């Protein structure tokens, strides 16, 4: 499989950009006027206290939740909209197409229990995107190899460990050839040993240049993997920057307090 080396220098194109997005449920404001630009090959981690709005923000990035205000741009184009007569208008077919280009890896792996690992990986490319089945099946094996599961390709999820199931879920997301991957606490349902194997897999993707936004409570992982760390609290980004700055010398007192609470 062709692997892109991560480009370390130069201007990189914006893959996903949130422009002043907000989310309100009824009268509850979950996050307010957040802007975030994710460049090609960049790994952004999102950290912050429980309830600060990380999951909702991540889900809004690919319109699993529609933003109450603001716009999300994928490759510079408004997500889920199509240009008609010089105006961008909501379009459900465009939304589905755009969402297919944004991989999402959930806390609970959400694999199809009646399908083998390989079937879970090739199912959507064939059924949703209409890819050639023989090619998709071969590619599913390659992707399972990439996440270290070539031996488990024909096993059903129930016979796999949690860490293995999560790696199948990662292969499944990659099978759609996404522009980027979003992860919501991919290891929080796992015990420490399995956590490490999943984190190593994600780190491998980072090295290959896969663009990712990762919500995580694993601070040492965030420190290792991030090009940029974004700290959320109470629905706002309170600080962001390179991992070394955020973890070694945070400017915001609330970032300090949060990091201290995580190391207890
Ligand atoms: N569908 C919803 N309706 C109403 N309120 C919601 C809804 N979804 C989330 N919230 C509220 O939004 C706030 C942020 O929740 P969210 O799950 O995004 O936080 P989080 O940072 O991911 O927390 P955690 O670290 O515990 O996963 C919480 O107060 C939550 O109760
Ligand atoms: Mg969450």
């Amino acid at each position: 499989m062709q692997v892109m080396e991560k480009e370390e220098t130069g201007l990189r194109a914006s893959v996903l950009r949130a422009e002043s997005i907000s989310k309100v449920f009824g009268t509850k404001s979950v996050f307010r006027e957040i802007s975030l630009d994710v460049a090609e090959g960049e790994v952004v981690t999102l950290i912050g206290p429980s309830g600060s709005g990380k999951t909702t923000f991540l889900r809004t990035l690919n319109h699993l939740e529609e933003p109450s205000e603001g716009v999300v741009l994928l490759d510079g184009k408004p997500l889920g909209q199509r240009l008609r007569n010089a105006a961008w208008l909501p379009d459900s077919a465009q939304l589905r197409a755009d969402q297919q280009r944004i991989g999402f890896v959930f806390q609970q792996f959400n694999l199809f229990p009646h399908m083998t690992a390989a079937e879970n990986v090739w199912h959507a490319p064939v059924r949703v995107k209409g890819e050639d089945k023989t090619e998709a099946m071969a590619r599913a094996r390659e992707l399972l190899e990439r996440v270290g599961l070539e031996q488990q390709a024909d096993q059903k999820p129930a016979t796999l460990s949690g860490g293995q199931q999560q790696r199948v879920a990662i292969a499944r997301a990659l099978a759609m050839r996404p522009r980027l991957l979003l992860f919501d606490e991919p290891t929080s349902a796992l015990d420490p040993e399995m956590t490490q194997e999943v984190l190593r897999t994600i780190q491998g993707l980072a090295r290959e240049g896969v663009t990712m936004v990762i919500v995580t409570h694993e601070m040492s992982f965030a420190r290792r993997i991030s090009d940029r760390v974004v700290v959320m609290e109470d629905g706002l980004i309170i600080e962001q920057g390179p991992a070394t700055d955020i973890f070694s010398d945070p400017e915001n007192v609330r970032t300090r307090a949060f990091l201290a609470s995580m190391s207890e």
Side-chain angles (χ1 to χ4, degrees):
M1 172 168 298
Q2 208 181 353
V3 169
M4 258 189 334
E5 279 301 321
K6 191 159 183 166
E7 210 182 306
E8 298 296 346
T9 54
L11 279 178
R12 287 182 279 167
S14 164
V15 173
L16 195 73
R17 189 209 306 264
E19 284 184 352
S20 198
I21 62 173
S22 303
K23 184 67 191 179
V24 178
F25 288 113
T27 55
K28 182 172 171 57
S29 157
V30 179
F31 61 84
R32 290 171 297 288
E33 296 182 12
I34 293 189
S35 295
L36 183 74
D37 201 349
V38 184
E40 183 136 47
E42 193 178 20
V43 178
V44 175
T45 53
L46 200 53
I47 65 173
S50 181
S52 56
K54 304 179 298 295
T55 293
T56 311
F57 175 66
L58 200 70
R59 290 171 60 81
T60 308
L61 283 181
N62 78 340
H63 286 212
L64 285 172
E65 304 285 356
E66 223 180 298
S68 308
E69 278 177 66
V71 64
V72 178
L73 303 172
L74 177 64
D75 287 323
K77 298 194 184 113
L79 196 81
Q81 297 184 27
R82 192 169 282 179
L83 197 57
R84 282 209 195 90
N85 303 327
W88 288 100
L89 298 171
D91 182 286
S92 57
Q94 186 65 44
L95 177 61
R96 281 194 299 279
D98 288 343
Q99 285 176 325
Q100 284 168 25
R101 301 180 63 220
I102 304 177
F104 205 107
V105 176
F106 300 88
Q107 200 170 341
Q108 300 296 342
F109 333 116
N110 298 345
L111 297 175
F112 291 118
H114 59 288
M115 293 182 189
T116 64
E119 286 167 335
N120 265 285
V121 176
W122 62 252
H123 183 263
V126 172
R127 298 280 176 252
V128 179
K129 285 177 82 182
E131 287 188 14
D132 177 80
K133 187 169 167 183
T134 311
E135 280 173 27
M137 287 172 81
R139 192 149 173 278
R141 306 241 158 212
E142 283 177 20
L143 288 167
L144 287 170
E145 194 181 333
R146 188 165 165 195
V147 298
L149 290 175
E150 60 275 28
Q151 304 296 325
Q152 287 78 17
D154 300 313
Q155 289 179 224
K156 299 254 173 77
T159 71
L160 299 173
S161 73
Q164 290 171 332
Q165 290 185 54
Q166 189 58 302
R167 285 184 286 148
V168 174
I170 293 170
R172 176 183 57 179
L174 290 169
M176 294 297 276
R177 305 176 198 272
R179 277 295 276 148
L180 81 165
L181 291 179
L182 308 180
F183 293 82
D184 189 11
E185 296 195 38
T187 61
S188 60
L190 302 175
D191 67 29
E193 199 177 314
M194 292 176 202
T195 294
Q196 289 315 314
E197 71 186 39
V198 170
L199 296 183
R200 271 196 298 276
T201 300
I202 298 172
Q203 201 153 7
L205 300 180
R207 246 179 266 125
E208 292 165 15
V210 177
T211 309
M212 296 187 273
V213 180
I214 307 168
V215 172
T216 184
H217 283 294
E218 299 285 338
M219 293 300 126
S220 61
F221 167 70
R223 188 175 192 142
R224 273 200 313 277
I225 199 173
S226 309
D227 295 308
R228 183 154 45 109
V229 180
V230 173
V231 188
M232 259 182 95
E233 195 191 66
D234 197 17
L236 296 171
I237 291 180
I238 57 168
E239 183 164 4
Q240 60 177 309
T244 43
D245 293 0
I246 299 291
F247 289 104
S248 309
D249 191 19
E251 283 177 9
N252 193 303
V253 289
R254 288 177 302 165
T255 304
R256 282 172 205 234
F258 169 68
L259 293 174
S261 76
M262 294 303 286
S263 62
E264 273 162 11

